[in-house]
Amino acid sequence: MKMEKWKKILAGVAVCSMAAGVASAATSWRGTGATANWTVGPWSSGVPLADTKTQFSTSYPTECIVDSSVVAGQLVMGDGGDPAQTVTVRIVSGGTLTSGVLDTDDWSAVSYNRPAHCIVEAGGTFNTLARLGVGLVSEGDGLLEVYGDVDVTGTFQVADGGGRKGRVKVYDGGTVSATSLAMAGDDGQIDLWQGATLTLEGDRTNAVAGFIADGKILGNRMVSNLTNEIEIDAGVTN
């Protein structure tokens, strides 16, 4: 039975910008116990602000909960620490995390060089005002699960190079929007479940077709689920 059309890549994504500045501070997550709230911490140098580099080391694997509107000048999940542990940030319904606020900090990461897991629940929002890497550099191992909304103002890099791993799972009702998509490595994958939406600016038809052919973009874990499920809007790749 043929699946209904559900994979979409649309043009003209609205993006946000903020005034440029220079990051003046850094703070690191020091959560203890099973879970702790972002606004409570503890943090090494206080709750992150719009000019703060915000680091999550796997030495402190307590799950961080975002249930309100919070900011980070630069988000670096999986920044050093024990490679056998994973850092987790969960954005729940009503929570919004906005990172990469400063264009001098031109990237954020769900796994820099250690395992990291970010969950965006239905009703939650993750905005990055710069490029976002899932498995950014060598030894990076990132997982981004999306039931809500993710908006990347810049390139969405999923295991964009050798020696790193990146997985993105977008479930029914989940949306991911980005300026462009880069997946140069051999261990990156985006899995779009029925009802999921991936949105890229401009006509990315050829690039997306190549990622599908390479098995890097799947539909519910199978490339075959994407066959004949690609619509082409004017100036857009679907």
Side-chain angles (χ1 to χ4, degrees):
M1 178 177 175
K2 184 177 177 181
M3 292 176 58
E4 69 182 74
K5 293 182 178 180
W6 53 270
K7 173 180 173 290
K8 300 178 181 178
I9 300 177
L10 308 175
V13 179
V15 298
C16 301
S17 64
M18 296 186 70
V22 178
S24 62
T27 192
S28 298
W29 178 247
R30 293 291 186 266
T32 58
T35 65
N37 193 285
W38 177 293
T39 58
V40 177
W43 296 90
S44 64
S45 300
V47 175
L49 301 174
D51 62 350
T52 306
K53 180 178 182 179
T54 305
Q55 299 166 290
F56 286 82
S57 165
T58 56
S59 296
Y60 298 88
T62 294
E63 182 174 300
C64 178
I65 304 296
V66 175
D67 61 5
S68 59
S69 182
V70 300
V71 296
Q74 181 182 33
L75 179 70
V76 191
M77 294 178 61
D79 188 6
D82 184 350
Q85 298 199 96
T86 300
V87 296
T88 301
V89 173
R90 182 183 297 271
I91 305 169
V92 302
S93 180
T96 298
L97 169 57
T98 301
S99 71
V101 174
L102 305 174
D103 67 3
T104 51
D105 295 326
D106 66 347
W107 58 268
S108 285
V110 176
S111 179
Y112 179 70
N113 61 6
R114 291 292 185 270
H117 184 194
C118 181
I119 307 106
V120 183
E121 296 187 353
T125 302
F126 180 20
N127 299 314
T128 65
L129 306 184
R131 61 189 170 100
L132 175 65
V134 179
L136 187 63
V137 302
S138 182
E139 300 185 53
D141 184 354
L143 171 60
L144 174 61
E145 294 191 278
V146 183
Y147 301 84
D149 300 303
V150 173
D151 191 357
V152 182
T153 304
T155 302
F156 188 32
Q157 298 176 281
V158 182
D160 190 30
R164 66 212 70 182
K165 180 177 180 179
R167 293 287 185 272
V168 179
K169 297 181 179 181
V170 190
Y171 300 99
D172 185 12
T175 67
V176 175
S177 303
T179 302
S180 59
L181 178 63
M183 304 176 72
D186 295 328
D187 209 359
Q189 198 170 82
I190 298 175
D191 191 4
L192 301 168
W193 289 56
Q194 186 169 350
T197 302
L198 174 63
T199 300
L200 302 178
E201 284 189 358
D203 185 353
R204 308 289 180 177
T205 306
N206 292 337
V208 169
F211 294 142
I212 293 171
D214 291 340
K216 295 180 179 181
I217 296 181
L218 307 177
N220 194 1
R221 296 165 291 184
M222 295 177 64
V223 172
S224 61
N225 285 340
L226 295 177
T227 303
N228 299 322
E229 302 302 326
I230 301 176
E231 301 174 352
I232 305 299
D233 291 340
V236 186
T237 307
N238 289 346

